[in-house]
Amino acid sequence: ESKLAFGLGSIQVIVPQDNMAEESIAQALTEKLRDNGFAVTMMDGQGNLGRRDLLLLHLKRKRMPQAKAIINNFLSNAVIVENDVKLMDGGYVEKKKKGH
């Protein structure tokens, strides 16, 4: 399943401390991801050295490379964590339409 990119995944993005001076970088990244059809939740966090922004994405596994490319173009030093999602109920991931 993972090699064929079926199913769902999630990506967590932690905006590193040295990017926090640019107050809008996480918001700009969120908007870019949303413009490309990704559902993004942005949260404030607290790391060892201070405030961080945390972005959460739940998406189809086959779209993960596209999301990671957008993230890396904005923040080459972002911490990116990928996970497999076994079950998701609700949210904004597009469902396959009946008959397709």
Side-chain angles (χ1 to χ4, degrees):
E1 184 176 287
S2 64
K3 291 182 185 197
L4 297 174
F6 291 138
L8 299 172
S10 70
I11 297 176
Q12 301 165 9
V13 182
I14 301 170
V15 177
Q17 183 68 28
D18 57 345
N19 293 106
M20 295 306 293
E22 301 177 45
E23 194 64 35
S24 65
I25 191 77
Q27 184 62 43
L29 175 54
T30 298
E31 290 172 13
K32 179 71 172 176
L33 288 163
R34 287 177 178 161
D35 287 347
N36 282 275
F38 295 102
V40 183
T41 300
M42 188 168 92
M43 303 182 330
D44 292 327
Q46 185 70 31
N48 189 37
L49 300 175
R51 190 173 97 56
R52 301 278 198 277
D53 287 319
L54 176 64
L55 307 181
L56 303 174
L57 295 85
H58 297 290
L59 61 162
K60 292 181 179 179
R61 197 175 295 144
K62 69 181 177 183
R63 296 201 65 210
M64 290 178 91
Q66 180 188 6
K68 287 185 352 187
I70 293 169
I71 294 162
N72 285 322
N73 283 337
F74 266 80
L75 292 169
S76 60
N77 61 344
V79 176
I80 301 172
V81 179
E82 294 181 48
N83 294 295
D84 290 328
V85 174
K86 298 294 180 193
L87 177 66
M88 189 171 107
D89 189 21
Y92 179 74
V93 175
E94 293 179 10
K95 305 229 188 240
K96 188 173 182 179
K97 294 179 180 165
K98 291 186 179 189
H100 289 110

